[in-house]
């Protein structure tokens, strides 16, 4: 059972990492059993060289994405009833292109999970807000407001930015712009 589970997690780890880094010279990302009980290591092929330790060749950002992929692969194969993921500022070290891919990975491969994605990054807030009417259907974006002594913690729905609406219009996506405007109007009327 353990080797089957390790194989399943390993397969997903490789697929998720490839989804985040599709055009890079890293392949065969996999988990291998370690020498001690409950230990696994990550191996990969980097520019044609087989490596047992990704720290020898991957940047900090790539190591962070590898850790995120391992975490998500483990979550995918955890208890079947646990469909909840909490991610706290996990993509701040990624460039914009890789941030897009992480959000896409969450939206496409984890649509059957409840995802709580916490961030201080305005770009992530704006991007998830922009995509929630297309690839991220059903996502709700909230912004935490400053703590208030009388009211305690407060939240509000995240309004689409004017730039997001204009971007949809510039891309010729009238439906997407309409959805953004509808969301904006709904939040204002609450």
């Amino acid at each position: 059972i353990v080797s089957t589970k390790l194989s399943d997690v390993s397969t997903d780890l490789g697929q998720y990492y490839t989804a985040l880094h599709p055009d890079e010279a890293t392949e065969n990302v996999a988990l291998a059993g370690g020498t001690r009980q409950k230990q696994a290591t990550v191996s990969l092929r980097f520019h044609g060289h087989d490596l047992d330790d990704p720290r020898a060749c991957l940047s900090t950002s790539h190591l962070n994405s590898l850790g995120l992929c391992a975490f998500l692969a483990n979550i995918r194969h955890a208890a079947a009833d646990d469909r909840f993921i909490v991610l706290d500022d996990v993509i701040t070290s990624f460039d914009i292109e890789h941030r897009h891919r992480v959000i896409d990975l969450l939206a496409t491969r984890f649509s059957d999970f409840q995802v709580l994605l916490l961030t201080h990054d305005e770009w992530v807030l704006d991007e998830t807000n922009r995509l929630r009417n297309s690839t991220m259907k059903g996502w709700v974006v909230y912004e935490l407001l400053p703590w208030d002594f009388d009211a305690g913690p407060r939240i509000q729905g995240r309004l689409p930015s004017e730039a997001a609406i204009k971007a949809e219009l510039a891309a010729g996506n009238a439906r997407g712009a309409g959805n953004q405007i509808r969301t904006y109007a709904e939040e204002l009327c609450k």
Side-chain angles (χ1 to χ4, degrees), residues 24-39:
E24 299 178 15
T26 306
E27 51 193 1
N28 301 338
V29 177
L31 292 175
T35 56
R36 287 186 258 150
Q37 186 178 13
K38 296 184 182 179
Q39 177 186 347

Side-chain angles (χ1 to χ4, degrees), residues 1 17-18 29-30 37 50 59 61 74-75 78 82 84 95 115 127-129 132 139:
I1 293 176
Y17 190 83
T18 299
V29 177
Q37 186 178 13
D50 291 326
S59 69
S61 180
N74 276 316
I75 292 291
D82 296 336
F84 190 82
D95 60 28
V115 177
E127 187 66 5
T128 52
N129 199 44
R132 70 182 176 170
W139 282 52

Side-chain angles (χ1 to χ4, degrees), residues 133-134 137 160 174-184:
N133 292 316
S134 56
K137 290 187 187 313
R175 183 179 299 258
N179 282 333
Q180 295 285 351
I181 292 167
R182 177 190 49 78
T183 301
Y184 186 82

Side-chain angles (χ1 to χ4, degrees), residues 9-19 28-31 69 73:
V9 170
S10 180
T11 298
D12 283 354
L13 167 63
Q15 290 175 357
Y16 299 163
Y17 190 83
T18 299
N28 301 338
V29 177
L31 292 175
C69 292

